[in-house]
Amino acid sequence: MTETKPSVLFVCVHNAGRSQMAAGWLRHLAGDAVEVRSAGSAPAEQINPVAVDAMREVGIDITGQTPKILTPEDSAASTVVVTMGCGDVCPYFPGQRHEDWKLDDPAGQGIDAVRPIRDEIRGRVQALVDDLLRGD
């Protein structure tokens, strides 16, 4: 019997801070056991450099990531869709698990404000990994 690898899509408006940090944490914590996607409803031109610095502090490099536009195809192909403030623009497909994480937006914030956001995202991603990968 072939198990399908779970796929998680993280979505925020600009795909430059929260969703990129969450994707970085998921890659770090789950390795290749979970497929990772991130996108935004109105992507920025580049990742928030403070988010990059905050992740670098914990040994995770997200510099190679670029903000991407949210597509219905990415959403439809995902087992879990985690939204972070994108509101009604996030598509919903029946049979998917949806979570809405209320998190402060790191845009325009200094490193001292971004660290607690990064750490809260880590905790939420760890709980998601534990849930997705537990052997039921």
Side-chain angles (χ1 to χ4, degrees):
M1 183 171 120
T2 308
E3 289 288 322
T4 339
K5 183 191 295 191
S7 174
V8 177
L9 171 64
F10 294 105
V11 184
C12 67
V13 176
H14 300 299
N15 189 222
R18 293 167 289 186
S19 56
Q20 292 288 356
M21 288 191 289
W25 276 120
L26 185 56
R27 285 184 198 96
H28 177 75
L29 296 169
D32 62 0
V34 177
E35 187 177 352
V36 182
R37 296 184 177 91
S38 72
S41 53
E45 290 186 20
Q46 65 180 28
I47 292 187
N48 179 338
V50 181
V52 170
D53 291 343
M55 294 300 285
R56 186 179 294 124
E57 287 181 349
V58 294
I60 299 173
D61 182 6
I62 60 171
T63 55
Q65 303 302 313
T66 54
K68 295 174 231 27
I69 187 74
L70 174 65
T71 67
E73 294 78 19
D74 280 340
S75 186
S78 301
T79 314
V80 179
V81 177
V82 178
T83 56
M84 305 171 188
C86 71
D88 295 337
V89 298
C90 295
Y92 176 83
F93 293 90
Q96 281 179 327
R97 174 174 161 187
H98 279 256
E99 295 186 16
D100 186 37
W101 293 357
K102 306 281 189 229
L103 296 162
D104 290 336
D105 189 344
Q109 305 275 357
I111 191 77
D112 290 337
V114 174
R115 285 181 185 122
I117 299 168
R118 172 201 66 203
D119 295 345
E120 182 175 351
I121 291 170
R122 183 198 192 286
R124 290 175 184 238
V125 169
Q126 183 63 65
L128 183 62
V129 168
D130 292 347
D131 187 50
L132 288 173
L133 300 183
R134 75 170 163 241
D136 287 335

